[in-house]
């Protein structure tokens, strides 16, 4: 099934690679439910939905794509969902927000079945791609700093430095130091081991209290949140969630595609082009997103952490299958994860470091070219300051073609970018979110 001989691999190698990938991305089992619970999603629902979405996307990638790439809810999209989309002020509940994710998944499936997905990625300027990634990184890091109270509200300057003597801040800084050292030493699973070390310290200092047992049988979700496309579409239209759907769609499309191509290329799996196999692999994240929304989690994406498994020798879908099996075992630890969710210091270092890794994309932006630099700057600066990925994307897509027109470089802009600029302008003026 996995054609191990053709890939010049073995069962042992694939299993080791699967374990390696799992350790590098296991933090999402803890971080994702915690972030979604801040939006009101019941913790157990979010935890189980995270497992289900990961299993569906990763198993589909393993069995139908035969690639050593894992799928799971993406960092950035979960934070955007919890802290920007869901809003008491505008009446957007998490149930309504999942309608937007569900529609995103369906549109993603449709696009993945056509070549439009590839054309769309090619049309988006590299400047905006890199800026969006960097902006999301800053957004995630800011959330980590805020949740751990390293940064707090300030009466005159909006934000300021928190109390560095408080137990929570000291624990966060300790966990951050441990994780940074592990990263610097190139330890596979640095984020996971950093969280584990911080949790142990939290237990020893009395900041972590276990809620009963550590293990329990996996629970099925309490309910299916959304399953009717007509109802979901009606929610999106009624509450004007167009920019939310587009933001989810845009980010997941080029994030997943970029990760997929990068990891597959690293594994040497793109030399013999197989469009049918690649097409099936591209469907995995869109299916994971759709199923995940039904049970209660934000959009899924291909995980760049899969590159660690590839570096360990993973070359086939067996690596991804091992990752999926390990996530099944992880489902038995929901009481432990629920206990960890009460201590922000355990997950905050991961958010800060993931933000650091994502902001590295700014090095690819042409900062000496103003019509490239300014739209990128707007994207990067507005995402964390407005707590809205959609707003950052909108300002970037509006200013980029405008500056190109002013510079007389209209031919450098694809027609679809002008269309997006008009749509985003209408959204910001008449349907601000």
């Amino acid at each position: 099934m996995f054609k191990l001989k053709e890939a010049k691999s073995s069962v042992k190698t694939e299993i080791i690679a699967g374990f390696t990938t799992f350790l590098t991305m296991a933090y999402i089992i803890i971080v994702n439910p915690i972030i979604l619970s801040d939006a009101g999603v019941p913790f157990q629902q979010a935890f189980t939905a995270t497992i289900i979405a990961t299993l569906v996307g990763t198993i589909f990638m393993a069995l139908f794509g035969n690639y050593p790439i894992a799928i799971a809810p993406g960092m950035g999209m979960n934070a955007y969902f919890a802290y920007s989309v869901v809003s008491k002020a505008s009446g957007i509940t998490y149930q309504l927000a999942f309608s937007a994710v569900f529609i995103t998944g369906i549109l993603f499936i449709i696009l993945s079945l056509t070549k439009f997905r590839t054309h769309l990625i090619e049309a988006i300027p590299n400047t905006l791609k890199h800026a969006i990634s960097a902006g999301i990184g800053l957004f995630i890091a800011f959330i980590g700093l805020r949740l751990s109270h390293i940064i707090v509200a300030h009466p005159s300057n909006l934000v300021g430095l928190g109390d560095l003597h408080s137990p929570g801040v000291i624990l966060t800084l300790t966990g951050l130091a441990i994780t940074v050292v592990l990263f610097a030493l190139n330890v596979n699973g640095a984020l996971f081991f950093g969280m584990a070390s911080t949790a142990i310290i939290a237990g020893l200092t009395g900041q972590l209290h276990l809620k009963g047992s550590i293990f329990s049988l996996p629970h099925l979700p309490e309910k299916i949140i959304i399953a009717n496309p007509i109802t979901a579409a009606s929610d999106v239209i009624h509450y004007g969630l167009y920019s939310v759907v587009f933001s989810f769609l845009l980010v997941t499309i080029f994030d997943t595609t970029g990760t997929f191509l990068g990891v597959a290329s690293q594994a040497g799996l793109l030399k013999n082009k197989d469009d049918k196999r690649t097409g099936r692999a591209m469907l995995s994240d869109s299916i994971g997103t759709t199923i995940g929304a039904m049970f209660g989690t934000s959009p899924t994406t291909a995980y760049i952490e899969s590159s660690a498994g590839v570096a360990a020798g993973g070359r086939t879908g067996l690596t991804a299958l091992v990752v999926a099996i390990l996530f099944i075992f992880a489902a038995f630890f929901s009481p432990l994860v629920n206990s960890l969710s009460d201590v922000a210091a355990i997950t905050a270092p991961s958010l800060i470091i993931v933000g650091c890794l994502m902001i590295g994309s700014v090095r690819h932006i042409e900062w000496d070219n103003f019509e490239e630099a300014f739209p990128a700057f707007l994207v990067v600066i507005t995402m964390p300051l407005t707590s809205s990925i959609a707003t950052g994307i909108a300002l970037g897509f509006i200013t980029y073609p405008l500056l190109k027109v002013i510079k007389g470089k209209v031919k450098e802009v694809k027609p679809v970018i002008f269309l997006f600029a008009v749509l985003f302008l209408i959204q910001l003026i008449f349907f601000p979110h």
Side-chain angles (χ1 to χ4, degrees):
M1 177 185 293
F2 298 110
K3 301 179 181 178
L4 295 177
K5 289 185 178 179
E6 290 183 21
K8 297 180 181 178
S9 185
S10 67
V11 172
K12 179 182 178 181
T13 299
E14 298 290 313
I15 290 176
I16 292 174
F19 266 93
T20 302
T21 296
F22 174 77
L23 287 176
T24 60
M25 63 180 290
Y27 66 90
I28 197 63
I29 301 170
I30 301 173
V31 176
N32 196 55
I34 291 175
I35 290 177
L36 295 179
S37 63
D38 283 347
V41 184
F43 183 87
Q44 187 60 52
Q45 180 94 25
F47 177 83
T48 307
T50 299
I51 298 293
I52 291 174
T54 302
L55 288 177
V56 171
T58 303
I59 289 176
F60 196 94
M61 176 70 80
L63 301 182
F64 297 97
N66 196 24
Y67 285 100
I69 300 173
I71 303 293
M75 291 294 294
M77 289 293 93
N78 51 10
Y80 173 52
F81 178 97
Y83 304 113
S84 297
V85 180
V86 177
S87 169
K88 291 182 180 179
S90 57
I92 306 299
T93 63
Y94 73 82
Q95 292 92 338
L96 292 172
F98 279 127
S99 290
V101 179
F102 187 65
I103 292 300
T104 299
I106 293 175
L107 292 175
F108 205 178
I109 289 174
I110 295 172
L111 292 177
S112 297
L113 292 172
T114 68
K115 292 185 177 181
F116 183 76
R117 173 172 176 167
T118 303
H119 293 324
L120 181 60
I121 290 178
E122 292 174 349
I124 299 172
N126 287 329
T127 289
L128 294 182
K129 293 178 187 176
H130 299 312
I132 290 170
S133 179
I136 292 174
L138 276 183
F139 181 38
I140 293 173
F142 180 74
I143 290 171
L145 292 168
R146 181 172 60 83
L147 292 179
S148 60
H149 300 295
I150 293 177
I151 287 178
V152 296
H154 190 279
S156 60
N157 196 39
L158 295 182
V159 294
L161 186 64
D163 181 7
L164 297 182
H165 298 286
S166 68
V169 172
I170 292 174
L171 180 61
T172 301
L173 294 175
T174 302
L176 182 61
I178 292 171
T179 311
V180 166
V181 169
L182 292 174
F183 251 99
L185 296 175
N186 297 318
V187 175
N188 285 325
L191 290 178
F192 177 78
F193 291 125
M195 284 195 297
S197 301
T198 309
I200 292 172
I201 296 172
L204 294 175
T205 56
Q207 297 182 60
L208 172 63
H209 304 283
L210 296 178
K211 302 174 182 178
S213 63
I214 295 177
F215 307 95
S216 73
L217 291 175
H219 296 279
L220 289 174
E222 297 176 7
K223 59 183 177 179
I224 294 178
I225 295 177
I226 186 71
N228 188 330
I230 296 176
T231 301
S234 176
D235 288 340
V236 170
I237 294 171
H238 182 73
Y239 290 91
L241 299 176
Y242 310 108
S243 66
V244 175
V245 171
F246 184 72
S247 296
F248 278 141
L249 190 65
L250 192 66
V251 174
T252 51
I253 281 179
F254 68 71
D255 186 29
T256 295
T257 305
T259 299
F260 170 80
L261 294 176
V263 176
S265 177
Q266 176 192 354
L269 300 174
L270 296 179
K271 295 176 181 178
N272 300 317
K273 193 173 181 181
D274 185 346
D275 291 333
K276 187 176 291 187
R277 177 187 171 194
T278 301
R280 290 195 297 265
M282 292 295 188
L283 272 173
S284 58
D285 56 333
S286 52
I287 293 174
T289 293
T290 306
I291 300 300
M294 294 172 63
F295 292 104
T297 189
S298 47
T300 59
T301 184
Y303 260 59
I304 191 62
E305 286 83 351
S306 301
S307 60
V310 168
R315 293 294 182 272
T316 73
L318 181 56
T319 293
L321 184 61
V322 170
V323 174
I325 293 171
L326 291 173
F327 266 90
I328 293 175
F329 282 112
F332 289 86
F333 291 87
S334 63
L336 175 60
V337 175
N338 195 5
S339 297
L340 298 177
S341 68
D342 291 336
V343 185
I346 294 174
T347 54
S350 294
L351 295 175
I352 296 168
I353 290 175
V354 169
C356 169
L357 297 176
M358 294 184 70
I359 199 175
S361 296
V362 296
R363 68 183 182 277
H364 301 298
I365 297 171
E366 297 178 40
W367 292 109
D368 56 346
N369 188 341
F370 188 74
E371 70 265 22
E372 296 281 338
F374 188 70
F377 169 75
L378 280 182
V379 172
V380 173
I381 198 69
T382 54
M383 281 189 184
L385 294 185
T386 64
S387 293
S388 174
I389 291 174
T391 299
I393 291 175
L395 293 176
F397 271 82
I398 292 170
T399 55
Y400 185 86
L402 181 62
L403 287 176
K404 287 295 183 180
V405 169
I406 293 173
K407 291 286 289 186
K409 299 179 179 180
V410 179
K411 292 183 180 180
E412 293 183 10
V413 184
K414 302 289 185 182
V416 70
I417 302 301
F418 286 106
L419 174 61
F420 288 155
V422 172
L423 293 176
F424 272 127
L425 188 61
I426 293 173
Q427 173 71 32
L428 289 178
I429 294 174
F430 299 105
F431 307 100
H433 179 73

